[in-house]
């Protein structure tokens, strides 16, 4: 079981490019105290590494939606685009918490980074209230000139049962 010191070391060892120190943490479960240490890194100088880990854990079903929601609550304070991207990508694993991201997404809608735009669109849709009809918005995404937005729109259409015929 990984402890808080393991988290702190891995975050410190991350050079911004090579994820090996972070991937090594995934070999064992994190203790609740290690999860606390991970979330305490948001926002801050280790936010890219911390959000990378949160996304990886979420993708493997190894961190609960409540913990992901805690990370989403820090979203508006993040300073690094990659950290924001990781949390937007995590919205698919925490649909009940995705609405926490919505108030903070508008700066990413016109981003020059197409992945930021595509995942902001995804997080926006996943954070919608159940009664909100996203069908037309998803169809508009399918007509985008950007492949990443079209791909997200297709994934969203499947997730929300939008008939594309």
């Amino acid at each position: 079981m990984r402890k808080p010191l393991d988290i702190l070391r891995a975050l410190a060892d991350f050079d911004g490019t090579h994820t090996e120190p972070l991937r090594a943490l995934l070999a064992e479960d994190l203790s609740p105290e290690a999860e606390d240490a991970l979330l305490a890194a948001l926002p801050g100088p280790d936010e890219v590494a911390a959000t990378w880990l949160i996304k990886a854990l979420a993708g493997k079903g190894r961190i609960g939606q409540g913990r992901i929601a805690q990370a989403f609550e820090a979203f508006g304070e993040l300073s690094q685009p990659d950290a924001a991207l990781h949390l937007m990508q995590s919205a698919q694993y925490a649909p009940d918490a995705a609405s926490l991201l919505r108030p903070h997404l508008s700066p990413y809608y016109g981003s020059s980074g197409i992945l930021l735009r595509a995942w902001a669109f995804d997080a926006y849709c996943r954070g919608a209230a159940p009664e909100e009809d996203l069908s037309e918005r998803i169809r508009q995404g399918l007509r985008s000139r950007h492949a990443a937005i079209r791909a997200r729109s297709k994934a969203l259409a499947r997730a929300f049962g939008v008939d594309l015929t």
Side-chain angles (χ1 to χ4, degrees):
M1 176 111 4
R2 298 294 184 180
K3 303 290 184 209
L5 189 56
D6 298 324
I7 297 292
L8 297 175
R9 282 186 186 135
L11 296 178
D13 289 346
F14 178 63
D15 65 3
T17 304
H18 301 94
T19 58
E20 289 81 12
L22 305 176
R23 288 182 192 280
L25 284 177
L26 300 175
E28 295 179 43
D29 288 336
L30 272 59
S31 69
E33 297 81 13
E35 288 181 1
D36 289 342
L38 179 59
L39 291 167
L42 302 177
D46 295 321
E47 66 188 34
V48 172
T51 57
W52 187 95
L53 274 170
I54 290 165
K55 181 182 88 166
L57 290 165
K60 294 179 180 297
R62 294 182 44 207
I63 190 168
Q65 284 201 42
R67 292 295 202 165
I68 298 170
Q70 287 179 272
F72 288 173
E73 289 173 352
F75 186 84
E77 300 173 49
L78 298 177
S79 62
Q80 298 298 312
D82 284 347
L85 176 64
H86 296 151
L87 289 188
M88 288 187 285
Q89 291 171 324
S90 298
Q92 63 189 312
Y93 307 117
D96 294 342
S99 63
L100 294 169
L101 295 175
R102 262 187 150 190
H104 307 287
L105 295 173
S106 61
Y108 300 99
Y109 298 149
S111 173
S112 61
I114 194 61
L115 285 179
L116 287 169
R117 285 176 40 199
W119 284 100
F121 173 63
D122 184 273
Y124 174 87
C125 291
R126 292 183 191 277
E131 66 276 1
E132 191 173 347
D133 184 6
L134 298 169
S135 301
E136 186 52 36
R137 193 175 295 260
I138 291 170
R139 285 187 190 96
Q140 287 173 347
L142 290 169
R143 294 188 295 270
S144 173
R145 65 185 177 105
H146 300 288
I149 293 176
R150 290 192 309 270
R152 284 291 85 222
S153 296
K154 286 178 187 174
L156 288 163
R158 285 190 300 275
F160 288 97
V162 174
D163 182 15
L164 300 177
T165 56

